[in-house]
Amino acid sequence: MNFQEQIKQGIPSKLPPAKPYPEDANRAPKRKDILSADEKQLAIRNALRYFPKEWHQELAQEFAQELKDFGRIYMYRFKPNYELKARSISDYPAKCQQAAAIMLMIDNNLDPAVAQHPEELITYGGNGAVFQNWAQYLLAMKYLSEMEEDQTLHMYSGHPMGLFPSSKEAPRVVVTNGMMIPNYSKPDDWEKFNALGVTQYGQMTAGSFMYIGPQGIVHGTTITVMNAFRKVLNKGESPKGKIFLTAGLGGMSGAQPKAGNIANCITVCAEVNPKAATKRHQQGWVDELIDNMDALIARVKEAQANEEVVSIAYIGNVVDVWEHFYEQDIFVHLGSDQTSLHNPWSGGYYPVDISYEESNRLIREEPDVFKEKVQATLKRHADAVNKHTAKGTYFFDYGNAFLLEASRAGGDVMAENGIDFKYPSYVQDILGPMCFDYGFGPFRWVCTSGNSDDLDKTDAIAADVLNKIMAESPEEIQQQMQDNITWIKDAKQNKLVVGSQARILYADAQGRAQIAKEFNDAIARGEIGPVVLGRDHHDVSGTDSPFRETSNIYDGSRFTADMAIHNVIGDSFRGATWVSIHNGGGVGWGEVINGGFGMLLDGTPEAEGRLKSMLLFDVNNGIARRSWARNEEADFAIKREMARTPKLKVTLANNVDDEILNNLSF
């Protein structure tokens, strides 16, 4: 059977032979043995419902072994034999082009060059899954191949519930991931219900099919690092020879060395998993690999002396780096961490002084011991950071729950008031007031032809649009506009593409809509093929996350999730091709609700109408909420948008003088 025939087949008619896992695969950590004997039977019963009864005897034994070996039932036997990668949209068997675009994006998320643990359908973050198992992948692709323009596929945490009649204007796919009753959203709840096969952690852009490899975060990371240096250096002073010390080279964190190079500094990024570090080095996302502390210290001192721009991956634990740099009096200008601390007990963060292999054994066999060692390491990590900040290092939480988990472990990370953290979130200090409040966020697109020439043309279109907008932009956003123009002009030479021919660009609502319109016009003229629009959920209005995206909301509403829910509902009837809403993502299960979308531009007038309506709402929903929270930058941005868009009418906040409140008695 050829590629198209295999997709249309779905679950095969004949039981395929069992297959061994590849020995060189970057395997996901073994998950907790958390189910009771009865629950393990239920997990296998749940898995077998995808298959005919005559297969159950054989598959029951196999799935029981998978559950024992991995803590999950991945159904590896059913992984397709064809190469998983984003093909040209024309290669996919589909009755409507929107469905073909979604198939392309799913395959891109599972491409081994893109995905962190592709055998287990995990794209990034250690547990950010596209599907729970390979049967779900096969069934979803079959449904998409059959989908017509008046049908919608509903996805329940990776499970394709089915095709339902809808309308041409409705989304083609609606995705939910991990949506739990609130009292069942603790980390162990995820372990249990994911093992049962009834929910999954979709991260942000894994379970919504919008991940584009490390490029997806590199632009935001570049903006963060550049502006962090602007905060600590004298005006005009170069970051060359200055150190940015961090950790994590997995999925999203893999962008950090590349961003450091673009920002012109020395980046030292620790990673405990040798395969992850080697993969990023092979892909050109980090310049040098070092696995010896003495060699690292010597190399960093040399780079400082020569004011180099270089990125170095240290294969080892970042706590060792912080401690040894302090002992060697190596000054760190910027410090952060981007390990997967949203998932601290299942391989998102590793204890110091224990090998990677031994840590993985503890995760599975002695989880309580592993947790104790992780928490002890977090306290030690915090102590080492505190020593550096006392010497002038600027440390910021990178939205990975480092400060949250360090505080829960008893680390010295709390401010004097005992409520706030002593270090800011990067959103509080940088991305919130400088970008999100003004509406700037990670707009992205994928050229579905797979042709690099199409990507070059879209880069040129985007640069031209931004230059025209900047000429008329107010002073308040000139720096943002210039940073983004520089980014898109240099994007190709920075070799950002991994997997699909994709690009990310921070832009506001005006920029996104105008760029998208120009893309649609170019498609209509036959100059480029269809384009998928999307964004990271880490954006202006897609995500309610009190310790990250909405950490600069100070009216008490940062623990609410109305914005994300309105975002996905509002996008769905304004023209999105698919929409998604997730529990978890970035900072962890139970800590955040985030929504996303995908939209296919096909060159039609209908696509132009959809992009104008949906992109305006998608951004300004968040600006309005931020303005209501009394954020000055958002108040400026929403008033400017209302002047530009007469039918937009937003409730504005009236500020009260502090003196009135201070004179009250309670």
Side-chain angles (χ1 to χ4, degrees):
M1 297 176 75
N2 63 28
F3 167 68
Q4 295 193 350
E5 290 169 338
Q6 289 183 68
I7 284 183
K8 289 191 285 188
Q9 174 185 233
I11 304 291
S13 57
K14 294 183 179 181
L15 181 62
K19 60 178 70 169
Y21 276 83
E23 293 183 3
D24 61 345
N26 183 21
R27 300 299 310 280
K30 292 181 180 179
R31 308 303 184 185
K32 275 186 182 179
D33 184 8
I34 199 170
L35 300 181
S36 68
D38 286 347
E39 288 169 337
K40 288 176 181 176
Q41 284 193 359
L42 179 58
I44 295 167
R45 187 185 301 275
N46 288 342
L48 290 173
R49 58 186 158 177
Y50 286 102
F51 307 104
K53 282 191 173 184
E54 55 268 28
W55 298 357
H56 286 185
Q57 184 66 45
E58 181 175 348
L59 291 180
Q61 295 294 327
E62 184 174 312
F63 293 167
Q65 191 65 46
E66 279 194 336
L67 192 59
K68 181 179 179 180
D69 291 344
F70 310 128
R72 297 294 186 271
I73 300 171
Y74 296 117
M75 308 179 186
Y76 185 67
R77 174 195 293 249
F78 292 93
K79 181 183 177 183
N81 294 321
Y82 55 77
E83 185 180 5
L84 283 162
K85 64 178 184 178
R87 292 167 165 79
S88 170
I89 192 171
S90 60
D91 290 343
Y92 288 91
K95 295 180 179 179
C96 74
Q97 198 172 48
Q98 290 179 327
I102 297 167
M103 285 193 274
L104 181 159
M105 297 301 294
I106 288 173
D107 276 354
N108 187 63
N109 274 222
L110 294 171
D111 183 340
V114 175
Q116 184 182 17
H117 304 301
E119 315 305 330
E120 293 87 7
L121 304 107
I122 291 170
T123 301
Y124 69 97
N127 58 356
V130 186
F131 299 98
Q132 297 176 60
N133 56 60
W134 287 105
Q136 291 178 347
Y137 168 84
L138 295 176
L139 195 53
M141 296 295 273
K142 174 180 171 61
Y143 277 136
L144 288 166
S145 73
E146 297 169 348
M147 175 185 286
E148 298 181 10
E149 289 187 336
D150 58 355
Q151 291 177 300
T152 294
L153 174 61
H154 288 261
M155 303 282 299
Y156 283 38
S157 287
H159 170 64
M161 189 58 74
L163 285 172
F164 291 79
S166 57
S167 70
K168 187 175 181 180
E169 290 72 34
R172 296 283 67 81
V173 178
V174 175
V175 176
T176 58
N177 281 300
M179 301 309 294
M180 304 296 292
I181 303 302
N183 282 347
Y184 300 89
S185 203
K186 302 290 192 298
D188 272 356
D189 292 323
W190 171 74
E191 294 281 0
K192 176 180 176 178
F193 292 108
N194 188 224
L196 285 172
V198 295
T199 195
Q200 73 173 9
Y201 189 88
Q203 264 287 358
M204 289 190 140
T205 52
S208 57
F209 324 140
M210 191 45 71
Y211 188 68
I212 59 169
Q215 180 186 181
I217 196 65
V218 72
H219 189 13
T221 307
T222 300
I223 289 173
T224 300
V225 174
M226 285 195 308
N227 283 296
F229 273 117
R230 287 168 180 160
K231 289 176 72 69
V232 301
L233 300 180
N234 296 322
K235 189 173 183 180
E237 186 178 359
S238 172
K240 289 184 178 179
K242 314 297 193 303
I243 295 174
F244 169 43
L245 172 57
T246 185
L249 283 171
M252 304 304 274
S253 58
Q256 294 179 108
K258 174 74 77 171
N261 282 1
I262 297 170
N264 289 319
C265 66
I266 300 168
T267 304
V268 178
C269 191
E271 170 57 59
V272 296
N273 183 347
K275 288 183 178 177
T278 301
K279 180 177 180 178
R280 293 300 173 220
H281 183 249
Q282 290 172 343
Q283 291 176 336
W285 288 77
V286 64
D287 298 327
E288 300 176 15
L289 292 176
I290 296 177
D291 61 4
N292 177 276
M293 183 59 69
D294 291 338
L296 176 67
I297 289 169
R299 181 67 185 94
V300 168
K301 287 183 175 180
E302 177 188 33
Q304 282 184 306
N306 295 329
E307 295 192 343
E308 292 183 49
V309 175
V310 65
S311 55
I312 302 167
Y314 173 68
I315 302 175
N317 199 294
V318 72
V319 177
D320 286 327
V321 182
W322 281 107
E323 291 176 343
H324 281 83
F325 277 21
Y326 184 80
E327 293 168 3
Q328 293 291 320
D329 200 29
I330 295 176
F331 183 71
V332 177
H333 283 78
L334 304 183
S336 194
D337 187 271
Q338 214 174 44
T339 52
S340 296
L341 267 161
H342 66 275
N343 182 31
W345 322 126
S346 296
Y349 182 91
Y350 282 79
V352 71
D353 295 337
I354 301 175
S355 72
Y356 179 65
E357 292 74 20
E358 173 63 8
S359 292
N360 284 332
R361 185 192 69 79
L362 290 175
I363 290 171
R364 174 68 175 176
E365 299 177 13
E366 300 180 66
D368 291 341
V369 173
F370 182 78
K371 182 175 181 178
E372 289 175 7
K373 292 187 178 298
V374 164
Q375 291 192 315
T377 297
L378 282 165
K379 291 176 69 175
R380 187 168 152 185
H381 194 162
D383 288 343
V385 168
N386 290 339
K387 289 180 180 179
H388 281 268
T389 59
K391 295 170 62 176
T393 295
Y394 173 62
F395 184 87
F396 55 92
D397 186 285
Y398 221 150
N400 67 328
F402 169 71
L403 293 179
L404 181 64
E405 290 301 335
S407 70
R408 291 169 175 170
D412 181 15
V413 296
M414 302 306 296
E416 291 184 6
N417 63 14
I419 300 172
D420 301 316
F421 296 128
K422 67 166 64 176
Y423 302 115
S425 155
Y426 73 116
V427 174
Q428 287 175 286
D429 253 19
I430 299 169
L431 279 191
M434 294 190 65
C435 294
F436 293 168
D437 284 355
Y438 285 117
F440 287 88
F443 183 53
R444 60 178 59 166
W445 62 89
V446 175
C447 297
T448 67
S449 66
N451 190 334
S452 61
D453 289 342
D454 279 10
L455 186 60
D456 293 344
K457 291 173 183 176
T458 59
D459 284 349
I461 289 169
D464 183 60
V465 168
L466 292 185
N467 276 305
K468 290 176 180 176
I469 293 175
M470 185 173 177
E472 300 178 355
S473 292
E475 182 179 351
E476 286 85 347
I477 61 171
Q478 286 285 313
Q479 183 66 67
Q480 289 89 330
M481 293 298 301
Q482 186 56 61
D483 284 347
N484 295 323
I485 290 169
T486 300
W487 166 268
I488 197 65
K489 285 183 175 178
D490 294 343
K492 184 176 182 178
Q493 71 184 46
N494 286 325
K495 299 178 181 178
L496 300 164
V497 171
V498 176
S500 60
Q501 293 295 319
R503 185 67 72 222
I504 190 166
L505 170 70
Y506 268 53
D508 62 5
Q510 180 186 16
R512 298 184 207 201
Q514 291 191 19
I515 290 169
K517 181 185 180 305
E518 292 299 325
F519 288 173
N520 201 54
D521 290 347
I523 296 165
R525 293 191 298 267
E527 296 171 5
I528 59 175
V531 172
V532 168
L533 302 182
R535 56 161 169 75
D536 194 348
H537 300 200
H538 174 61
D539 196 9
V540 179
S541 64
T543 296
D544 283 297
S545 179
F547 300 108
R548 198 164 85 171
E549 283 79 4
T550 45
S551 60
N552 70 319
I553 299 292
Y554 302 109
D555 68 348
S557 71
R558 66 181 181 140
F559 293 96
T560 66
D562 299 275
M563 180 177 71
I565 300 300
H566 276 274
N567 188 259
V568 70
I569 295 172
D571 284 358
S572 70
F573 63 77
R574 287 181 172 88
T577 304
W578 71 99
V579 291
S580 61
I581 188 77
H582 300 180
N583 168 21
V587 297
W589 181 265
E591 304 285 358
V592 52
I593 299 294
N594 63 90
F597 77 89
M599 174 182 279
L600 179 69
L601 300 182
D602 58 8
T604 62
E606 291 81 5
E608 181 175 336
R610 288 193 289 266
L611 74 87
K612 287 180 177 178
S613 175
M614 201 219 73
L615 293 176
L616 178 77
F617 171 77
D618 187 67
V619 176
N620 283 288
N621 170 48
I623 300 176
R625 185 268 180 98
R626 293 166 183 277
S627 170
W628 185 241
R630 295 184 291 272
N631 291 15
E632 291 183 10
E633 295 85 358
D635 190 59
F636 167 85
I638 201 65
K639 288 176 179 175
R640 182 168 174 253
E641 188 60 67
M642 282 194 287
R644 192 164 50 220
T645 309
K647 289 192 176 183
L648 176 66
K649 300 181 187 299
V650 170
T651 307
L652 299 176
N654 294 298
N655 288 324
V656 61
D657 292 336
D658 290 345
E659 184 179 351
I660 293 174
L661 301 179
N662 293 337
N663 289 332
L664 296 175
S665 58
F666 297 97

